Amino acid sequence: MSGEAFSLPAASIGGFIQDPSNANPNPKPNANPAKKKRNLPGTPDPDAEVIALSPKTLMATNRFICEICKKGFQRDQNLQLHRRGHNLPWKLRQRTNKEVRKKVYICPEKTCVHHDPSRALGDLTGIKKHFSRKHGEKKWKCEKCSKKYAVQSDWKAHSKTCGTREYKCDCGTLFSRKDSFITHRAFCDALAEESARLTSVAATSLNFGNDTVNLPHGFAGRGVQDVAGIPQFGSGFPQDFSGMPAPGLPEMVQMAPANLFGSSSHFPGFENGGATSSNSNNLSLSQLPQGLKEEGRNEGNLMESLSSLYSDNQNKQSKANASPMSATALLQKAAQMGSTRSNPSFFGNSFGVMSSSSSHTAPTFMASSSASMSATSNNLDKLMLQTGGKPSEPSLLSMHHPGSNSFAQSLTRDFLGMSNDQSPRPFLPQELAKYAAIGSTMGLSQFTSSNH
Amino acid sequence: MSQNESSPLKSSSSSLQDFSMMSLSPSLGSSYPWLKELKSEERGLYLIHLLLTCANHVATGSLENANIALEQISELASPDGDTMQRIAAYFTEALADRILKTWPGLHKAINSTRVVDLVSEQALVRRLFFEVFPFLKAAFLLVNQAIIEAMEGEKVVHVIDLDAAEPMQWIALIRGLSARPEGPPHLRITGIHVRKEVLDQMGHRLSEEAEKLDIPFQFNPVVGELEDLDVERLHVKTGEAVAISSVLRLHSLLASDDEPLRKKLPLALKNSNGIHLQRALQMSQNTLGELLEKDTVNGYSPSPDSASSSPLSSPVSPKVDTFLTALRGLLPKLVVITEQDSNHNGSTLMERLLESLHSYAALFDCLESTVSRASFERLKLEKMLFGNEIKNIISCEGAERKERHEKLEKWIQRLDSAGFCNVPLSYYGMLQAKTLLQGYNCNGYKMKGENGCVMICWQDRPMFSVSAWRCRNSL
């Protein structure tokens, strides 16, 4: 943006008087074209003359009217020729032989980008069409697809191609333009999976730990095997991608991020950038961690031995045979186990454990935990209590204790060798309700016996 | 925690809590010999159970029970075992740290020889995170492309980086801008960071790069905490086009808003400069009392700060709102926010524990799938980066707890109320990022777009979000 203020007269004089403003916008610091060349859109010639026309002028179709019969003409030349017919004096203007100063036009609409002289358009027809398209009413409608246009030529051009040539992506989207179709395909999920598949296949033959991973080979591979569509993007492409040069997708995408992220030859070329900077950081980082996940797979065999432990209830085993369960999967499993009320006992189910629903079943874990601590940490107890622990409710536990099955009782005695008549652990009412329904401790014996 | 009992639809979090309630048959003999015999999956499940149980105990103040659980976990957890073992190791350390804070003297003493925050350590961890995971790279691609597109036609571009530590992002931007058809703009980058050395490094590298490409460039370092930032120091000039980028930094601003702590301190400290004093006093006061009070009153802490489970409740976070408003006052052309997309800002310990168990499980799984177990880099990342985050989330409260990650929808609400409206991210940028993720030789990385924002996922779990904003109703 040039930052200089321009006061262009509002061209409200009406009619078709042009108001040349002699203020030089100077939008670009450089450039003085020697010969006639086409400027990039939106970057006008710096010493061109800026012309501001009123909306009325722009929209007017036949600006030149014959006084006699009021017939309208688009060009002055045509009007003059017509005046001959009325026997009026006429004069055809000669093309001026002095050097013509280039004219650029700005859009009268204040909020428009092209209202700024530095973004003026170079062509009168262009500015007229722009004004109609952006700020005008869409009067022309395509019959086939109900798309509306403000400029008749746009409408005509569209009607010619509407429904004629179509590209269809695997995901079902239709395109009339080859370039947008190609862009979409590259991005489309359906293809992403395919290319990922191809990538992993191609990649296994690659040196894993190396930095030489180029663009997913799936892309290149796909380009080869796909229907005539992907590799050359041609000139249509840059419009979508804000001016990036577009030789072809793999190279383009490879090139651009190569620009962006430092490495000239690799696609995720960050390693090189990383290497150089890490040197300057005084860090000697080894290459990207080697051995991607090869040795881990061996541990999957462990899972097979697990299946002996679990009955058909734990049917996830079949799925988990190939590889160790990820932490996420474990969490999901745990959540599932927690939510199925019918199967409350943790390890016990497959051993046909009875799950007692009486309130006598002790949450042995809790009980014994508190019990074991109480004997050994009385002093600590006192510290705890004074800092806010809730007073114990021994009655609850002693109530539970006789109720728990003898086996569990003997076990706890075995391991702890102490009585559990005191428990500083507070029970929240909600927890109690849960414990009421929770299963037994029988699982322990089976569990330990099967393991030892 | 168990208020969800009667709800017909159980979220996985509450189911997980129920899981912890299940009776675990094994008893607790002093040496737990049978524990060693557990196979990987069982051990993993058992670890989850123990962690939840332990956290329950910590939350309710029954520290002896917590101690027992900790002991069991320690038998099974290990920083170089399988995924679940590693996760358990860091979570258990965090829980232990939390308990230890009930004796402030003890806590300080045990950390007295810990060399904190070496610049080189931090730099290493940052670099590892950048290299090993594609998250940052993908985010940078998206951010940079958004900036390039927003700055089309601009002659003077001023980029403000709210946590300027990674030069790679701006090197890429410099290259991208120099390649644009209308030629490069005059570029200024302002970097904010606590440590001067980091900024010096960054400035040096960026200036070097800009000079190579012959771009008029200026780097302005702003040393200091983001929380104390005065926007005047950013020296935004009229007429220049401003882009602001925040990468994994904004969430720590949510930390300064704890009501319960403020109530305890004298009024004189309640101004923006008081945050430091608050923190200092917090340490010397009876943090035990505060912690336990928070944890045992009605079962869980009632602090009104930040995220509760309902997505629509808009939390009161004056500090971050003021900050965002100040940013908006600069009339930036573009603001791009990259954040972790997890809810680690629940007001209760259990909420945070459950959520973070899931998120860090995904991150650890990701490492497990892409890096070998013996890798030193992996260990460093798990310990120095994730371990520290977990510790912060679990064992810290109040202004100390900086890792307040929140889900994108909350950030959207905040930015919306600060006067910004969403700008959809560039299609081309998304294409690049997606290609990058696919090129990482691992099928787990995914990307999805949602209302113009992008979520970068591991398997199906969104881990990071990127969103772009502009001022609403501005010219």
Side-chain angles (χ1 to χ4, degrees), chain B residues 118-146:
Chain B
L118 275 179
V119 181
S120 53
E121 273 273 301
Q122 289 185 329
L124 172 63
V125 172
R126 241 188 338 256
R127 179 40 49 98
L128 283 176
F129 185 62
F130 178 74
E131 295 286 355
V132 172
F133 293 108
F135 300 125
L136 274 188
K137 293 175 197 169
F140 290 165
L141 280 171
L142 292 164
V143 173
N144 287 351
Q145 192 59 29

Side-chain angles (χ1 to χ4, degrees), chain A residues 311-333:
Chain A
S311 76
D312 52 359
N313 249 354
Q314 326 280 6
N315 52 11
K316 298 268 187 261
Q317 282 309 308
S318 52
K319 205 165 61 173
N321 269 345
S323 57
M325 279 181 97
S326 67
T328 313
L330 281 173
L331 282 167
Q332 282 169 353
K333 182 161 188 175

Side-chain angles (χ1 to χ4, degrees), chain B residues 162 192-195 222-234 249-250 252-257 269 271-279 319-320 322-324 326-327 399 402:
Chain B
L162 298 188
I192 306 167
H193 202 263
V194 256
R195 307 194 96 124
V222 174
V223 183
E225 287 277 2
L226 192 66
E227 284 77 354
D228 308 325
L229 181 72
D230 176 8
V231 290
E232 299 290 320
R233 289 176 70 192
L234 299 173
R249 185 63 172 91
L250 217 50
S252 56
L253 286 175
L254 298 169
S256 319
D257 298 325
L269 292 175
N271 51 29
S272 54
N273 296 329
I275 302 291
H276 294 292
L277 287 171
Q278 277 182 359
R279 239 181 270 147
K319 180 80 183 179
V320 72
T322 324
F323 184 75
L324 287 173
L327 286 187
K402 297 232 165 231

